[in-house]
Structures are given as structure tokens and as C-alpha cells.
Amino acid sequence: MNAFETFYANSASSHLMGSIVQKEIDQVREKLADSIGAYPSEIVFTSGATESNNIAFKSLLLSGDIPTGKNHIVTSTIEHKCVLAICDYFKSIGFEVTYIKPNVDGIICPNDVKDAINEKTALVSIMHVNNELGTINPIGEIGKLCSENNIIFHSDAAQSYGKTEIDVDNFNIDVMSFSAHKVGGPKGIGAIYIRDLRHRKLLPVIHGAGQEQGLRGGTIAAPLIIGYGTAIDLFPKYYQSFSEMRIKEYLIEGLSNEGIGFNINGRTKALPHCLSLTLLNTNVALMIRENDQTISLAQGSACSSKEIEASHVLTSLGLTREQAEGTIRLSFPLDVTFEQIDIFIKAVKKATR
Ligand SMILES: *Cc1c(COP(=O)(O)O)cnc(C)c1O
């Protein structure tokens, strides 16, 4: 709120007020770059991870910088809907796309990526942490593989940033997507990391007056960026104390104690902030309806939970339609309390036979 009032000037202006805003933006750019082992010149602010994912594909692949004949993309079946939509578009303009399925634990295996790439592969895009399961993909190994084969490696880090270590050099990342509102920042702001940005020929995602190194025209959203910077500062501390509550373990134990049957989707190596739970004997639709004034519950990810289709992530894991319908995806607010979890367990029990 303070940034909206205090830093109103256009950061592109050369007067004092403009340069004060520019300095604030530069600090956030530096902070984000530092936190992932990148240079500030390799960071472009965007409207969020959806836009960053669009840039990762379109600005790199359609720039004329990629040798002709390199028209193959490798991605996974459990990417965010926007990546799958972008891939559909690339198929419509003549690209070939290979979709890798996760293993039973919801993880994309480097060996499967190795089998999928060929001499025509231009880009591999594998998300860092899955947004429905919380599972962590071994992107370091996948990055190494891509680097050895001279393939651009993009990873969507909307769910992982601030929650698990990211080092773009150690992981051999070429392009990475971020979103502020996944770390408590404002909606409508995010970023993309592009290795050696200045030396690449990139197709602007918005042709404009040269902002953001010519990649994305339009007056820079200073208040949102400054809010993003505050989120970057504060989030780790909150996430740390949230993690120490071991809320997932508390919930799982509570469900077991009540004799409620469940499966956890994506069991191993998952982050603590989200949980995909298949309730075996519970009328999930009824439970969601009965508690919609008190518990904010969704089936699948929030972006597409109003759709009637079963989640593509769950069907990729081999769940039947019926099992997918009995699945809820929980994400915990960082200030969650044990009492709130008790209320949730009571609600599940009431809808369970
Ligand atoms: C939320 C999310 C997105 C979309 O981010 P926006 O900033 O809302 O566009 C993309 N990918 C993943 C993995 C996400 O969790």
C-alpha cells in the first residue's frame, strides 16, 4: 500500500522522483537475482508465471535464433495448464511435443527425459515443484542432461521459489518462471530468468517502448514489484516456522486416528504447503458443499477448479475418474492452526461412511 502512494512516478523518467522509483525496482531485481544465483540483467518482471511461461516458449523459440529443423519440445503431463496450452499452440504451428508421464510418486524421471530428447529437440520444460502434489522434480539432473545436449532448459518455479533451494548455475537452468502471489506478494506480478539475456535474440512478448530490455513494453508496475520485493524478504521466515509445525503430519495422523481411509498422491519428497488427498469412503462433493462458508476447499488446482473434468495431474498418476473425484488438494495458509486442522478432520469424518 505504501508503494502505491510513495512510488508513483514513472521509473523510466530521468527526474528525481522517477530515479527514486527506478532504484527501488533495481533493488528487487537484484534481490531476486541474488536468491537464485543469477545476474540482475537476466531478470525481467512479468505479470506472473503464466506470462513467464509464454515468454519462455515464444520469445525463445520464435525469435529466429533456433536452427531450423529444431522443432521438438519435451515437457511433462503434469505441468501447469498454461504450459500445456502453450504446447497445444506450438503443435498447431508445426512443432512436435513429447509429454513425459510421472512415476507413481508423481516425479518426472531424468531417464525418461533422456529417452525423449533427440537431435531435433529445441526446448525441455519441466516444472520444479508440482502445484497439485507438492512433489519436487530432480531439475538439477534434467538440467545437466539438457546442457550436455545443447538443449534449452526451462523450469516453472512458481511453486518452488522461496520454499526449496534454487541455483540456476548448479541446476543448469536456462530459463525459469516465478510468480509473486505464490510467496505472499501481490497478484499480477512475477518474473522470468533468462540466462545471458543480453546476448540472445528474443521475440518481444509485448512490442513497446523498450522497457525490460525490449522484451516487454509498457510502464513498469513499480508498486507491484516493490510489493514482490517485500514478499521475497519476508516469506522465508514465515515458511520456516510453518514448516516446523509439521501440519501435514498432524493432519495425516488425525485422519488415521479417526479411521478415515485415504491415499496421498505424490508421496515422497513433497513440500509441506500442499497436499493431494484421495478420500476413499468420503462423499467429497458433499463435504465441500457443506463447508463452503468456513473451509476454502478445491478439487484440483485453483486455476481450473470450476472445471468439471478430472485433474490432468491425477489422471497422469493413473487415478480413475472416480478416484479423482474423491480427491482434494489442500494448501495451507502459513498461519494455519492445529485447531483449524481439527475442524477440517471433523468435517471429513462427518461426510465419511
Ligand atoms: C500458480 C502457478 C502458475 C500461474 O502463475 P500466475 O502468476 O498466476 O500466472 C504457473 N505455474 C505454476 C506451477 C503455478 O503454481
Side-chain angles (χ1 to χ4, degrees):
M1 293 306 291
N2 179 46
F4 272 101
E5 290 180 354
T6 315
F7 303 109
Y8 191 75
N10 190 331
S11 60
S13 305
S14 53
H15 51 60
L16 176 66
M17 279 181 74
S19 59
I20 289 172
V21 177
Q22 183 63 51
K23 222 168 115 191
E24 291 287 323
I25 293 171
D26 287 345
Q27 277 175 10
V28 181
R29 205 187 298 277
E30 248 176 70
K31 203 173 344 218
L32 178 56
D34 270 356
S35 66
I36 60 168
Y39 294 107
S41 61
E42 296 172 314
I43 303 288
V44 166
F45 290 111
T46 67
S47 65
T50 301
E51 182 184 324
S52 297
N53 288 342
N54 271 271
I55 294 176
F57 282 72
K58 294 177 191 167
S59 296
L60 274 92
L61 296 183
L62 305 180
S63 64
D65 226 11
I66 307 290
T68 41
K70 276 218 170 200
N71 60 353
H72 177 233
I73 294 167
V74 174
T75 188
S76 83
T77 57
I78 58 167
E79 296 300 308
H80 189 271
K81 270 272 166 80
C82 68
V83 169
L84 300 179
I86 297 162
C87 286
D88 280 345
Y89 169 67
F90 271 86
K91 275 198 285 190
S92 79
I93 58 168
F95 277 72
E96 210 181 299
V97 183
T98 302
Y99 298 92
I100 296 170
K101 279 192 168 184
N103 69 11
V104 286
D105 291 321
I107 305 283
I108 303 301
C109 299
N111 264 337
D112 292 338
V113 178
K114 194 173 186 175
D115 291 343
I117 58 175
N118 59 47
E119 65 285 347
K120 283 162 78 179
T121 310
L123 175 81
V124 169
S125 178
I126 301 291
M127 71 199 323
H128 192 189
V129 166
N130 180 270
N131 50 310
E132 285 189 35
L133 310 172
T135 46
I136 308 169
N137 286 318
I139 58 168
E141 286 172 64
I142 296 169
K144 186 160 177 280
L145 195 72
C146 292
S147 159
E148 287 163 359
N149 289 279
N150 214 0
I151 297 167
I152 299 169
F153 179 44
H154 165 249
S155 187
D156 178 348
Q159 288 287 338
S160 63
Y161 179 80
K163 297 163 187 161
T164 179
E165 204 63 37
I166 296 173
D167 186 307
V168 291
D169 284 343
N170 287 347
F171 288 173
N172 283 293
I173 309 282
D174 295 306
V175 189
M176 195 164 230
S177 305
F178 305 97
S179 174
H181 71 95
K182 302 295 168 68
V183 288
K187 288 169 180 64
I189 191 76
I192 185 167
Y193 158 77
I194 304 175
R195 181 178 295 279
D196 299 329
L197 172 56
R198 283 180 178 162
H199 305 291
R200 286 183 197 264
K201 203 169 117 196
L202 296 167
L203 180 72
V205 65
I206 299 173
H207 291 88
Q211 292 94 342
E212 294 300 86
Q213 304 194 47
L215 190 62
R216 186 179 191 269
T219 301
I220 296 176
L224 299 180
I225 293 170
I226 295 166
Y228 188 10
T230 304
I232 291 172
D233 283 338
L234 298 181
F235 186 81
K237 192 180 107 224
Y238 285 97
Y239 197 71
Q240 176 70 24
S241 40
F242 160 77
S243 300
E244 284 164 7
M245 284 177 78
R246 300 179 66 79
I247 211 78
K248 234 190 227 187
E249 286 75 5
Y250 181 82
L251 169 60
I252 288 164
E253 202 184 305
L255 291 173
S256 301
N257 289 346
E258 292 290 347
I260 296 162
F262 64 89
N263 287 329
I264 296 166
N265 303 304
R267 193 170 265 281
T268 54
K269 276 186 79 181
L271 289 182
H273 68 283
C274 76
L275 174 65
S276 173
L277 207 57
T278 302
L279 296 162
L280 304 169
N281 306 306
T282 306
N283 187 337
V284 168
L286 177 77
M287 179 190 66
I288 291 176
R289 225 177 321 116
E290 273 194 340
N291 297 285
D292 65 0
Q293 303 296 305
T294 44
I295 307 176
S296 305
L297 270 179
Q299 289 189 285
S301 69
C303 317
S304 47
S305 61
K306 287 187 186 116
E307 287 175 19
I308 305 157
E309 257 174 71
S311 144
H312 66 282
V313 174
L314 298 177
T315 50
S316 286
L317 280 179
L319 268 69
T320 62
R321 204 196 146 90
E322 197 183 346
Q323 286 168 325
E325 277 167 5
T327 301
I328 46 174
R329 183 270 205 179
L330 299 165
S331 60
F332 304 101
L334 299 190
D335 58 354
V336 66
T337 63
F338 293 113
E339 291 71 31
Q340 288 170 334
I341 299 297
D342 293 339
I343 292 170
F344 171 73
I345 293 169
K346 214 178 262 176
V348 176
K349 180 145 176 88
K350 191 159 170 258
T352 303
R353 56 186 153 77

